[in-house]
Amino acid sequence: MSARHFLSLMDCTPQELSGLIRRAIELKDLRRRGVLFEPLKNRVLGMIFEKASTRTRLSFEAGMIQLGGQAIFLSPRDTQLGRGEPIGDSAIVMSSMLDAVMIRTYAHSTLTEFAAHSRVPVINGLSDDLHPCQLLADMQTFVEQRGSIQGKTVAWIGDGNNMCNSYIEAALQFDFQLRVACPQGYEPNAELLEAAGERVQIVREPLAAVAGAHLVSTDVWTSMGQEEEAAERLKLFAPYQVNRALLDAADPSVIFLHCLPAHRGEEISMDLLDDPRSQAWEQAENRLHAQKALLEFLVEPAYHHA
Ligand code: CP
Ligand code: NVA
């Protein structure tokens, strides 16, 4: 299969990723100026959601419409995927009718298996392992607010989850230093850590992680699919809350990002999203612009299958 997929940030070169961020900023400006831009007329994106979503669904759906195309929401409850039709078979059929497929799933292998049988680009809309689309929006937000992230220091506080794993890939691809402060036993993916070498440091103390940091980010302590661990996680992660005092210990130019949804009073203090250093709302909007750049990049301007 010759289609280009976006399952991880490593599926693009650093140059391509920088190009996507630049394009996202241009597309944002076009939209602000009310310029109609419809390069994906008649193109259709299928969106398979095995987990809940607000931002990812809305940004892909609105993005396709704004680019002149359409998006179809597919829930496993209403498709044969939920009744056991093999992923590979589903990929062959769906990709014969669609121009791209976005999948939000549990096991990352669902994405790789679908992609292996798909004639059209497959986009990772979040798996248990990675959330690369979110990182496009995060990098766009940093570039807009502070310029290039190359050589900067980023602190990830809390769970070594899918978002944290994608931050490790971003550290490699966008060339920044990453410090992860997480409790013992909640480290990010070991293979990714090994591949990242000195680019990523694991520390236990949030204060040690944020010292001199230009970007601080965190995420929920209990990700989708881990609900039965919630009570235990709440206790374990209590010392990892990001609050104004923690940001005060970072570089004076620090910005704070949160992929959302946020749990105020847990991973962030009640007031953190109101702090001027938080760019979480801009970051959420940037999902739209960054993914429009991604769709434009991946979806063939003219219909053809290899
Ligand atoms: N950040 C993010 O992916 O949000 P949703 O779960 O609402 O899509
Ligand atoms: N880590 C969170 C991210 C949600 C956007 C989860 O997987 O539920």
Side-chain angles (χ1 to χ4, degrees):
M1 302 290 158
S2 64
R4 186 86 196 259
H5 305 299
F6 186 72
L7 307 187
S8 131
L9 290 179
M10 307 319 270
D11 288 337
C12 289
T13 64
Q15 291 71 25
E16 285 170 336
L17 290 170
S18 304
L20 284 174
I21 304 303
R22 269 198 308 276
R23 188 63 178 147
I25 293 169
E26 282 170 13
L27 292 175
K28 185 175 186 173
D29 182 55
L30 282 186
R31 180 164 160 74
R32 290 271 151 91
R33 291 192 284 119
V35 178
L36 210 61
F37 177 62
E38 299 186 320
L40 299 189
K41 218 166 170 42
N42 293 322
R43 302 288 163 256
V44 183
L45 172 74
M47 306 187 298
I48 301 170
F49 280 94
E50 294 183 347
K51 291 172 173 169
S53 168
T54 297
R55 281 145 288 268
T56 304
R57 176 174 178 183
L58 205 52
S59 51
F60 271 110
E61 196 161 332
M64 276 307 287
I65 294 168
Q66 290 166 17
L67 291 169
Q70 298 222 29
I72 300 175
F73 175 79
L74 299 156
S75 141
R77 267 189 307 280
D78 316 311
T79 61
Q80 299 291 2
L81 266 173
R83 295 183 58 252
E85 184 167 8
I87 294 162
D89 293 359
S90 304
I92 292 168
V93 174
M94 289 185 184
S95 69
S96 72
M97 302 183 199
L98 297 166
D99 297 285
V101 181
M102 186 243 74
I103 305 177
R104 169 167 285 198
T105 187
Y106 292 88
H108 193 76
S109 58
T110 301
L111 277 156
T112 50
E113 195 177 342
F114 195 102
H117 295 89
S118 174
R119 298 159 157 231
V120 300
V122 178
I123 298 169
N124 180 359
L126 180 147
S127 68
D128 287 347
D129 294 357
L130 295 170
H131 196 3
C133 289
Q134 181 67 54
L135 261 291
L136 293 180
D138 288 29
M139 295 299 101
Q140 179 187 345
T141 310
F142 189 89
V143 169
E144 285 174 341
Q145 300 297 324
R146 297 288 184 266
S148 171
I149 198 163
Q150 185 169 28
K152 299 281 199 266
T153 299
V154 175
W156 176 268
I157 312 296
D159 193 12
N161 62 13
N162 43 11
M163 275 297 298
C164 182
N165 288 335
S166 281
Y167 260 96
I168 294 176
E169 296 194 336
L172 290 167
Q173 296 288 64
F174 290 91
D175 195 17
F176 58 79
Q177 205 58 34
L178 178 66
R179 293 199 206 110
V180 176
C182 62
Q184 209 113 35
Y186 293 84
E187 290 82 9
N189 181 284
E191 276 172 37
L192 276 178
L193 271 182
E194 167 121 25
E198 297 193 340
R199 192 56 63 92
V200 181
Q201 268 177 281
I202 302 283
V203 297
R204 297 298 166 203
E205 288 293 320
L207 267 173
V210 302
H214 305 96
L215 164 58
V216 173
S217 190
T218 188
D219 185 12
V220 292
W221 292 337
T222 300
S223 285
M224 290 181 278
Q226 300 173 331
E227 287 76 11
E228 73 287 351
E229 299 171 23
E232 190 190 339
R233 285 170 169 269
L234 207 56
K235 271 190 266 161
L236 251 163
F237 282 97
Y240 292 85
Q241 185 185 80
V242 181
N243 51 38
R244 286 179 156 152
L246 192 68
L247 292 189
D248 290 344
D251 188 85
S253 70
V254 71
I255 66 165
F256 172 74
L257 297 179
H258 190 312
C259 65
L260 305 177
H263 291 200
R264 290 175 179 82
E266 294 184 16
E267 78 276 2
I268 55 165
S269 54
M270 299 302 288
D271 56 2
L272 200 66
L273 296 185
D274 306 319
D275 188 285
R277 291 168 291 189
S278 170
Q279 293 294 329
W281 307 126
E282 198 67 24
Q283 173 192 11
E285 180 191 320
N286 283 341
R287 293 292 303 278
L288 172 70
H289 311 298
Q291 286 157 205
K292 281 168 74 178
L294 179 67
L295 288 163
E296 184 192 34
F297 173 73
L298 288 178
V299 178
E300 293 286 328
Y303 184 80
H304 71 84
H305 283 321

